[in-house]
Amino acid sequence: MVIPTQASGERVIGYSKSPVNEGKLCLKGYSGLSYNFSKERLKYPLIKRNGEFVRVSWEAALTETSNRLKKIIKEYGPDSVAFQSSAKCTNEENYLMQKIARVIGTNNIDHCARSCHSPTAMGLITTLGAGAATGSINSLDDSKTYFVIGSNTTEQHPIIGTRIIKGRKKGKNLIVADPRKTQLAEIASIHLQFNPGTDVALLNSIMHVILEENLEDTKFIEERTEGFSALRQELAKYSPEIVEGITGIEPEKLREAAKIIAKEKPTSILYAMGITQHVHGTENVMSISNLGLLTGNLGVRGGGIFPLRGQNNVQGSSDMGALSEWYPGYIPVNSDSVKRFEILWKRGLPTNTGLTLSEMFDAAVDGSLKAIYIMGENPLVTEAAISDVEKGIENLELLIVQDIFMTLTAGVADVVLPATTSLEKEGTFTNTERRIQKVNVIYDSPGEAMPDWWILNEIGKRVGGLESYDNPRSIFEEIRKAIPNYSGATYENIYPTGKQWPINKDNPDGTEILHTKSFPIGKGKLVPIPYRPPAEVTDANYDFIMTTGRNYYHFHSGTMSRRTDVLERESPEPYVEINTEDAKRIGARNSQKITIESRHGSIETKVKTTDKIPAGIVFVPFHFDESRVNRLVGKNLDPLSKIPEFKVVAVRLVV
Amino acid sequence: METAFIAISRDFQTYGAVERDGEVIFDRVAGFDQVSEERSRYAPKEFLMKRNENVLILNVENKTAVFGIKSCDLKGFYLMDKQVFGKDPFYTEKREKTLFANFVCSEPCSGGFCSSFGGPVLDQYDLQILREGEKFHVMVSEKYDRYFGEFKKEAGTFYSDFSNRFNSKLEPLPVEGIERRIKWNSELWKEYASACISCGACNFECPTCYCFDLYDDGNERKREWDSCILSGFTSSSAGNIRKDLDERLRQRFYHKFVYFKKSKDTYLCTGCNRCVEDCPVGIDIKEVITYDYNRE
Ligand code: SF4
Ligand code: SF4
Ligand code: SF4
């Protein structure tokens, strides 16, 4: 909650009535706002002429952008155009952008959920019927055991992390599976410090022990699931003794952890990018779902599966269908239900699967894609295999970037449209626990910056002949018709504390715990998942495994947090975390500049020695555009969700 | 009161504690009856030091009156004065032009421990207001006496009696001598460090904390509230002299109870309990006061 009192100076407070944080904030809450007032905000529409940006009027910018888009569509067809939406934008804006794409005739609409939680959507929709957290943040207080895997919760989801810390200090069980010694790992009952990329082997082995000890929930398995015998067969192969060779975890430790998870119920399983950003990301998610089902931890308060979302609106932007394989509400693009949208939008609609984020740049390289319209994304920093992104962009006829700052990506665009921040516009976000929350206008925007929904609305009218929306509210009213889970939400009834979807006739107050009686697909599916090694392995030339991710202070490509004084001071420059012993061995000192090389590229960065990371593994955050770690990340995609493997990259360190 | 309020509003921009969406915040108010007697959600430090402000040009500030601040929050400013008044021109300019009308709580709030530092009746104030049923008892500083010219002056012991009653309801903690009891190598600091997530709430929400970080934004020079829990705070080219989180947490308590006491002969705490309420992991400064350091 931000309180702007003109004369007294603005103040940020946690809203104490909010069930999400109970009024508690992390440092980004308290100190993360200054970017909003930065001198570097984009203030006017810009069009590139002879390599230089020229300030133009909105009318000129909109007309030229629309005309160029229309020309490309006419010449090469609608699939020659692609849209990249944003999990930082509102539901209304995401809905509008995907609608424009589809009304124009293409499913080439995608966004950064592809690089974080597309395996969650794919995996959990397959096994449970809903790609979302099954419980609420509040319900974590009723857990007896937390199983945290692939999530540095106190740094990436600090407020949820504090619930776990408080629970642990009260004596609850905490099992942490992570290659790094995270803050939670330090206070855990058991820390399983396993090798990166061996999640499926670890999870299968945990389930192996559970069956071996007869700790599974037989009643739940019988009544609520299907596929148990096939799963049992697969799990038989994963005795802890055999799996130790893969994961590096001692059998006794693993047995103990498995017993706690199965016996000390309810158990909540929390995971994040450490699970999803792998070539087998979707399989990892389904393994987690297997564990939840096997132990009967779904549909109960205090139990459940919690994919922790990395951005304010990843859940919402995915719900809105800003994904190439789904219409709003996760209607597959090739299903008959698309008719619903044809009626709602009064158009024939495309039913072929569109291009995903990373495929878009490939298509640009091979020449089939001519234009990309990016809203609030910075792929030149955040995408895997950056050199391919660069080549793709170079080959485009038209790149449109709508943003609040001149990002690296905006810098190479043909058209730059200045947008407003979430403190300057109205709309809704859907958070990690499915809670739809309202944002309101707090500040005026600088210069001629306009809200994303307004810009999209103008483009939609001109390019797609869309009816004009008066305001975000009128878009939300349409969302309520498009997505049954949102049908009962209104701007009035979700304010100020928000409500968790599904909100509908049967659940007017929303739904805190999913799947209490049945799954949307009837029975939960247990799926046998064989372990496959990560795409990249170490060899004599590339002898370290690198994992990438965020740190506590910065957000994504750093566009906002690096323009925020205190956050930037806390973490001002790129670095690589190396185990102290490894550093000694290769002769690197703290703060020394070194080069990291992978099979895909190389970067320079500074050494930070630490004991929190095991030997043989290094960690590099991706926030820094002066040393982009994604140059090193290859394009090894999960075949199911198309997420690149950001978490396992073979590298060598050159001192 | 309404008469005095109207007179003050003629000379000052008037703010007051008001409820919005279930939180008591500060906003413009048009009448004394609009001012909430509930404790505000936060200590209104931004009246004197903005969260983020430009420090190239010293603006001449408007005269501002703030009604409904609680004594513990107001006392924070009097403690800050000892450190920054006269030295920080931006603070000083606002401080001199701001009138605070503090409400004295008739009952202890939940969690607060102001009685440990003298209780809600302050000996420094602009207007100090205590309600007794429908009646208001007001203590006025000389500076603002003129607004109460026509009112009956009462001598006597009403305030001190009230103060004694209040402080007996809320038993003071044994703060005296904490500067000698507290222990450098206590296990408390490591225990706190294992839970702390470096959010900074215990600084940002504290009515006595006044630290800033200076930075440049384009051609402007700005400053922003800072937190001594962060590793970049007071960092030199050699990095922060307090490398580990437990050292930084200890520093906060030592500053409040040892260093400030030594240099200014008072503790840098008012007992408002905000750092406890807003700490997401429940680290409690009261424990630092009551902990038996000898046991270790
Ligand atoms: S700490 Fe004392 S002065 Fe402050 S709100 Fe509580 S009772 Fe009132
Ligand atoms: S240290 Fe805590 S209790 Fe003391 S004044 Fe600051 S916020 Fe209030
Ligand atoms: S409020 Fe608590 S968690 Fe936050 S910095 Fe202070 S002690 Fe740490």
Side-chain angles (χ1 to χ4, degrees), chain A residues 425-447:
Chain A
K425 66 185 172 193
E426 189 180 30
T428 58
F429 291 133
T430 306
N431 80 351
T432 192
E433 54 163 4
R434 296 172 275 109
R435 184 176 299 277
I436 311 172
Q437 296 176 292
K438 178 91 198 312
V439 287
N440 299 305
V441 179
I442 301 288
Y443 295 113
D444 295 335
S445 333

PDB file of all heavy atoms in Angstrom, chain A residues 425-447:
ATOM      1  N   LYS A 425      -1.299   3.259 -12.817  1.00  0.00           N
ATOM      2  CA  LYS A 425      -2.426   2.777 -13.612  1.00  0.00           C
ATOM      3  C   LYS A 425      -3.355   1.899 -12.791  1.00  0.00           C
ATOM      4  O   LYS A 425      -3.019   1.462 -11.697  1.00  0.00           O
ATOM      5  CB  LYS A 425      -1.918   2.019 -14.835  1.00  0.00           C
ATOM      6  CG  LYS A 425      -1.192   0.729 -14.518  1.00  0.00           C
ATOM      7  CD  LYS A 425      -0.635   0.123 -15.806  1.00  0.00           C
ATOM      8  CE  LYS A 425       0.251  -1.062 -15.534  1.00  0.00           C
ATOM      9  NZ  LYS A 425       1.015  -1.461 -16.725  1.00  0.00           N
ATOM     10  N   GLU A 426      -4.505   1.647 -13.378  1.00  0.00           N
ATOM     11  CA  GLU A 426      -5.515   0.825 -12.718  1.00  0.00           C
ATOM     12  C   GLU A 426      -5.540  -0.552 -13.358  1.00  0.00           C
ATOM     13  O   GLU A 426      -5.216  -0.711 -14.527  1.00  0.00           O
ATOM     14  CB  GLU A 426      -6.883   1.505 -12.888  1.00  0.00           C
ATOM     15  CG  GLU A 426      -7.964   0.852 -12.075  1.00  0.00           C
ATOM     16  CD  GLU A 426      -9.318   1.526 -12.249  1.00  0.00           C
ATOM     17  OE1 GLU A 426      -9.592   2.085 -13.327  1.00  0.00           O
ATOM     18  OE2 GLU A 426     -10.111   1.468 -11.289  1.00  0.00           O
ATOM     19  N   GLY A 427      -5.915  -1.552 -12.573  1.00  0.00           N
ATOM     20  CA  GLY A 427      -6.040  -2.883 -13.133  1.00  0.00           C
ATOM     21  C   GLY A 427      -5.987  -3.930 -12.035  1.00  0.00           C
ATOM     22  O   GLY A 427      -6.156  -3.605 -10.854  1.00  0.00           O
ATOM     23  N   THR A 428      -5.756  -5.170 -12.446  1.00  0.00           N
ATOM     24  CA  THR A 428      -5.673  -6.251 -11.455  1.00  0.00           C
ATOM     25  C   THR A 428      -4.454  -7.119 -11.713  1.00  0.00           C
ATOM     26  O   THR A 428      -4.003  -7.260 -12.844  1.00  0.00           O
ATOM     27  CB  THR A 428      -6.929  -7.152 -11.498  1.00  0.00           C
ATOM     28  OG1 THR A 428      -7.066  -7.699 -12.822  1.00  0.00           O
ATOM     29  CG2 THR A 428      -8.182  -6.395 -11.123  1.00  0.00           C
ATOM     30  N   PHE A 429      -3.927  -7.680 -10.627  1.00  0.00           N
ATOM     31  CA  PHE A 429      -2.867  -8.681 -10.694  1.00  0.00           C
ATOM     32  C   PHE A 429      -3.375  -9.932 -10.003  1.00  0.00           C
ATOM     33  O   PHE A 429      -4.134  -9.834  -9.039  1.00  0.00           O
ATOM     34  CB  PHE A 429      -1.620  -8.197  -9.934  1.00  0.00           C
ATOM     35  CG  PHE A 429      -0.895  -7.039 -10.569  1.00  0.00           C
ATOM     36  CD1 PHE A 429      -0.496  -5.949  -9.798  1.00  0.00           C
ATOM     37  CD2 PHE A 429      -0.590  -7.047 -11.917  1.00  0.00           C
ATOM     38  CE1 PHE A 429       0.186  -4.888 -10.368  1.00  0.00           C
ATOM     39  CE2 PHE A 429       0.102  -5.986 -12.492  1.00  0.00           C
ATOM     40  CZ  PHE A 429       0.486  -4.904 -11.717  1.00  0.00           C
ATOM     41  N   THR A 430      -2.926 -11.097 -10.443  1.00  0.00           N
ATOM     42  CA  THR A 430      -3.284 -12.336  -9.757  1.00  0.00           C
ATOM     43  C   THR A 430      -2.002 -12.934  -9.199  1.00  0.00           C
ATOM     44  O   THR A 430      -1.097 -13.260  -9.955  1.00  0.00           O
ATOM     45  CB  THR A 430      -3.964 -13.321 -10.717  1.00  0.00           C
ATOM     46  OG1 THR A 430      -5.052 -12.647 -11.333  1.00  0.00           O
ATOM     47  CG2 THR A 430      -4.484 -14.540  -9.966  1.00  0.00           C
ATOM     48  N   ASN A 431      -1.917 -13.060  -7.902  1.00  0.00           N
ATOM     49  CA  ASN A 431      -0.633 -13.412  -7.300  1.00  0.00           C
ATOM     50  C   ASN A 431      -0.423 -14.920  -7.237  1.00  0.00           C
ATOM     51  O   ASN A 431      -1.206 -15.712  -7.742  1.00  0.00           O
ATOM     52  CB  ASN A 431      -0.488 -12.738  -5.929  1.00  0.00           C
ATOM     53  CG  ASN A 431      -1.243 -13.485  -4.845  1.00  0.00           C
ATOM     54  OD1 ASN A 431      -2.016 -14.407  -5.110  1.00  0.00           O
ATOM     55  ND2 ASN A 431      -1.027 -13.092  -3.611  1.00  0.00           N
ATOM     56  N   THR A 432       0.616 -15.303  -6.543  1.00  0.00           N
ATOM     57  CA  THR A 432       1.065 -16.690  -6.521  1.00  0.00           C
ATOM     58  C   THR A 432       0.058 -17.635  -5.866  1.00  0.00           C
ATOM     59  O   THR A 432       0.116 -18.830  -6.058  1.00  0.00           O
ATOM     60  CB  THR A 432       2.436 -16.752  -5.799  1.00  0.00           C
ATOM     61  OG1 THR A 432       3.017 -18.017  -5.993  1.00  0.00           O
ATOM     62  CG2 THR A 432       2.291 -16.479  -4.301  1.00  0.00           C
ATOM     63  N   GLU A 433      -0.871 -17.087  -5.077  1.00  0.00           N
ATOM     64  CA  GLU A 433      -1.885 -17.947  -4.467  1.00  0.00           C
ATOM     65  C   GLU A 433      -3.239 -17.746  -5.146  1.00  0.00           C
ATOM     66  O   GLU A 433      -4.272 -17.919  -4.520  1.00  0.00           O
ATOM     67  CB  GLU A 433      -1.979 -17.696  -2.958  1.00  0.00           C
ATOM     68  CG  GLU A 433      -2.215 -16.249  -2.602  1.00  0.00           C
ATOM     69  CD  GLU A 433      -2.725 -16.000  -1.183  1.00  0.00           C
ATOM     70  OE1 GLU A 433      -2.842 -16.932  -0.388  1.00  0.00           O
ATOM     71  OE2 GLU A 433      -3.038 -14.838  -0.902  1.00  0.00           O
ATOM     72  N   ARG A 434      -3.232 -17.352  -6.395  1.00  0.00           N
ATOM     73  CA  ARG A 434      -4.452 -17.163  -7.198  1.00  0.00           C
ATOM     74  C   ARG A 434      -5.292 -15.995  -6.732  1.00  0.00           C
ATOM     75  O   ARG A 434      -6.470 -15.908  -7.043  1.00  0.00           O
ATOM     76  CB  ARG A 434      -5.346 -18.428  -7.185  1.00  0.00           C
ATOM     77  CG  ARG A 434      -4.770 -19.655  -7.800  1.00  0.00           C
ATOM     78  CD  ARG A 434      -5.655 -20.850  -7.551  1.00  0.00           C
ATOM     79  NE  ARG A 434      -5.395 -21.474  -6.271  1.00  0.00           N
ATOM     80  CZ  ARG A 434      -6.215 -21.429  -5.241  1.00  0.00           C
ATOM     81  NH1 ARG A 434      -7.381 -20.811  -5.327  1.00  0.00           N
ATOM     82  NH2 ARG A 434      -5.872 -22.004  -4.103  1.00  0.00           N
ATOM     83  N   ARG A 435      -4.718 -15.081  -5.959  1.00  0.00           N
ATOM     84  CA  ARG A 435      -5.508 -13.977  -5.414  1.00  0.00           C
ATOM     85  C   ARG A 435      -5.526 -12.811  -6.401  1.00  0.00           C
ATOM     86  O   ARG A 435      -4.481 -12.263  -6.744  1.00  0.00           O
ATOM     87  CB  ARG A 435      -4.937 -13.519  -4.075  1.00  0.00           C
ATOM     88  CG  ARG A 435      -5.770 -12.436  -3.387  1.00  0.00           C
ATOM     89  CD  ARG A 435      -5.211 -12.097  -2.023  1.00  0.00           C
ATOM     90  NE  ARG A 435      -5.215 -13.246  -1.146  1.00  0.00           N
ATOM     91  CZ  ARG A 435      -6.278 -13.660  -0.437  1.00  0.00           C
ATOM     92  NH1 ARG A 435      -7.400 -12.979  -0.495  1.00  0.00           N
ATOM     93  NH2 ARG A 435      -6.203 -14.726   0.322  1.00  0.00           N
ATOM     94  N   ILE A 436      -6.716 -12.461  -6.846  1.00  0.00           N
ATOM     95  CA  ILE A 436      -6.864 -11.334  -7.772  1.00  0.00           C
ATOM     96  C   ILE A 436      -6.914 -10.067  -6.941  1.00  0.00           C
ATOM     97  O   ILE A 436      -7.754  -9.926  -6.061  1.00  0.00           O
ATOM     98  CB  ILE A 436      -8.155 -11.452  -8.606  1.00  0.00           C
ATOM     99  CG1 ILE A 436      -8.258 -12.857  -9.210  1.00  0.00           C
ATOM    100  CG2 ILE A 436      -8.201 -10.395  -9.691  1.00  0.00           C
ATOM    101  CD1 ILE A 436      -9.589 -13.135  -9.881  1.00  0.00           C
ATOM    102  N   GLN A 437      -5.974  -9.167  -7.194  1.00  0.00           N
ATOM    103  CA  GLN A 437      -5.869  -7.956  -6.390  1.00  0.00           C
ATOM    104  C   GLN A 437      -5.913  -6.725  -7.275  1.00  0.00           C
ATOM    105  O   GLN A 437      -5.438  -6.741  -8.399  1.00  0.00           O
ATOM    106  CB  GLN A 437      -4.555  -7.971  -5.588  1.00  0.00           C
ATOM    107  CG  GLN A 437      -4.506  -9.106  -4.587  1.00  0.00           C
ATOM    108  CD  GLN A 437      -3.169  -9.175  -3.864  1.00  0.00           C
ATOM    109  OE1 GLN A 437      -2.153  -9.481  -4.454  1.00  0.00           O
ATOM    110  NE2 GLN A 437      -3.173  -8.873  -2.584  1.00  0.00           N
ATOM    111  N   LYS A 438      -6.451  -5.673  -6.719  1.00  0.00           N
ATOM    112  CA  LYS A 438      -6.658  -4.450  -7.495  1.00  0.00           C
ATOM    113  C   LYS A 438      -5.481  -3.484  -7.285  1.00  0.00           C
ATOM    114  O   LYS A 438      -5.001  -3.333  -6.164  1.00  0.00           O
ATOM    115  CB  LYS A 438      -7.949  -3.814  -6.976  1.00  0.00           C
ATOM    116  CG  LYS A 438      -8.345  -2.526  -7.603  1.00  0.00           C
ATOM    117  CD  LYS A 438      -9.261  -2.749  -8.795  1.00  0.00           C
ATOM    118  CE  LYS A 438      -9.316  -1.515  -9.680  1.00  0.00           C
ATOM    119  NZ  LYS A 438      -9.545  -0.269  -8.971  1.00  0.00           N
ATOM    120  N   VAL A 439      -5.024  -2.846  -8.351  1.00  0.00           N
ATOM    121  CA  VAL A 439      -4.079  -1.735  -8.191  1.00  0.00           C
ATOM    122  C   VAL A 439      -4.758  -0.448  -8.651  1.00  0.00           C
ATOM    123  O   VAL A 439      -5.617  -0.468  -9.530  1.00  0.00           O
ATOM    124  CB  VAL A 439      -2.755  -1.924  -8.974  1.00  0.00           C
ATOM    125  CG1 VAL A 439      -1.894  -2.967  -8.324  1.00  0.00           C
ATOM    126  CG2 VAL A 439      -3.007  -2.261 -10.433  1.00  0.00           C
ATOM    127  N   ASN A 440      -4.334   0.649  -8.043  1.00  0.00           N
ATOM    128  CA  ASN A 440      -4.964   1.932  -8.328  1.00  0.00           C
ATOM    129  C   ASN A 440      -3.922   2.979  -8.689  1.00  0.00           C
ATOM    130  O   ASN A 440      -2.746   2.820  -8.395  1.00  0.00           O
ATOM    131  CB  ASN A 440      -5.744   2.407  -7.103  1.00  0.00           C
ATOM    132  CG  ASN A 440      -6.838   1.426  -6.746  1.00  0.00           C
ATOM    133  OD1 ASN A 440      -7.673   1.083  -7.567  1.00  0.00           O
ATOM    134  ND2 ASN A 440      -6.786   0.935  -5.523  1.00  0.00           N
ATOM    135  N   VAL A 441      -4.386   4.042  -9.303  1.00  0.00           N
ATOM    136  CA  VAL A 441      -3.480   5.124  -9.694  1.00  0.00           C
ATOM    137  C   VAL A 441      -3.044   5.895  -8.442  1.00  0.00           C
ATOM    138  O   VAL A 441      -3.870   6.392  -7.693  1.00  0.00           O
ATOM    139  CB  VAL A 441      -4.178   6.095 -10.666  1.00  0.00           C
ATOM    140  CG1 VAL A 441      -3.229   7.221 -11.050  1.00  0.00           C
ATOM    141  CG2 VAL A 441      -4.650   5.349 -11.907  1.00  0.00           C
ATOM    142  N   ILE A 442      -1.734   5.945  -8.220  1.00  0.00           N
ATOM    143  CA  ILE A 442      -1.196   6.664  -7.070  1.00  0.00           C
ATOM    144  C   ILE A 442      -0.467   7.930  -7.528  1.00  0.00           C
ATOM    145  O   ILE A 442      -0.535   8.966  -6.890  1.00  0.00           O
ATOM    146  CB  ILE A 442      -0.190   5.767  -6.300  1.00  0.00           C
ATOM    147  CG1 ILE A 442      -0.867   4.484  -5.821  1.00  0.00           C
ATOM    148  CG2 ILE A 442       0.437   6.514  -5.141  1.00  0.00           C
ATOM    149  CD1 ILE A 442      -1.824   4.674  -4.691  1.00  0.00           C
ATOM    150  N   TYR A 443       0.230   7.818  -8.627  1.00  0.00           N
ATOM    151  CA  TYR A 443       1.028   8.951  -9.109  1.00  0.00           C
ATOM    152  C   TYR A 443       0.673   9.328 -10.541  1.00  0.00           C
ATOM    153  O   TYR A 443       0.203   8.485 -11.312  1.00  0.00           O
ATOM    154  CB  TYR A 443       2.526   8.603  -9.081  1.00  0.00           C
ATOM    155  CG  TYR A 443       3.056   8.373  -7.699  1.00  0.00           C
ATOM    156  CD1 TYR A 443       3.477   7.114  -7.303  1.00  0.00           C
ATOM    157  CD2 TYR A 443       3.127   9.416  -6.787  1.00  0.00           C
ATOM    158  CE1 TYR A 443       3.968   6.892  -6.028  1.00  0.00           C
ATOM    159  CE2 TYR A 443       3.608   9.208  -5.512  1.00  0.00           C
ATOM    160  CZ  TYR A 443       4.027   7.951  -5.139  1.00  0.00           C
ATOM    161  OH  TYR A 443       4.500   7.742  -3.877  1.00  0.00           O
ATOM    162  N   ASP A 444       0.974  10.560 -10.898  1.00  0.00           N
ATOM    163  CA  ASP A 444       0.891  10.969 -12.291  1.00  0.00           C
ATOM    164  C   ASP A 444       2.080  10.390 -13.040  1.00  0.00           C
ATOM    165  O   ASP A 444       3.128  10.161 -12.456  1.00  0.00           O
ATOM    166  CB  ASP A 444       0.960  12.499 -12.390  1.00  0.00           C
ATOM    167  CG  ASP A 444      -0.246  13.151 -11.738  1.00  0.00           C
ATOM    168  OD1 ASP A 444      -1.293  12.473 -11.663  1.00  0.00           O
ATOM    169  OD2 ASP A 444      -0.126  14.303 -11.290  1.00  0.00           O
ATOM    170  N   SER A 445       1.903  10.201 -14.341  1.00  0.00           N
ATOM    171  CA  SER A 445       3.010   9.659 -15.137  1.00  0.00           C
ATOM    172  C   SER A 445       3.850  10.802 -15.673  1.00  0.00           C
ATOM    173  O   SER A 445       3.346  11.909 -15.876  1.00  0.00           O
ATOM    174  CB  SER A 445       2.485   8.855 -16.314  1.00  0.00           C
ATOM    175  OG  SER A 445       1.232   8.341 -16.023  1.00  0.00           O
ATOM    176  N   PRO A 446       5.115  10.515 -15.949  1.00  0.00           N
ATOM    177  CA  PRO A 446       5.970  11.580 -16.493  1.00  0.00           C
ATOM    178  C   PRO A 446       5.685  11.810 -17.973  1.00  0.00           C
ATOM    179  O   PRO A 446       5.325  10.875 -18.696  1.00  0.00           O
ATOM    180  CB  PRO A 446       7.377  11.001 -16.306  1.00  0.00           C
ATOM    181  CG  PRO A 446       7.188   9.521 -16.330  1.00  0.00           C
ATOM    182  CD  PRO A 446       5.823   9.258 -15.748  1.00  0.00           C
ATOM    183  N   GLY A 447       5.853  13.024 -18.419  1.00  0.00           N
ATOM    184  CA  GLY A 447       5.717  13.361 -19.836  1.00  0.00           C
ATOM    185  C   GLY A 447       4.411  12.862 -20.422  1.00  0.00           C
ATOM    186  O   GLY A 447       3.343  13.045 -19.835  1.00  0.00           O
TER     187      GLY A 447
END
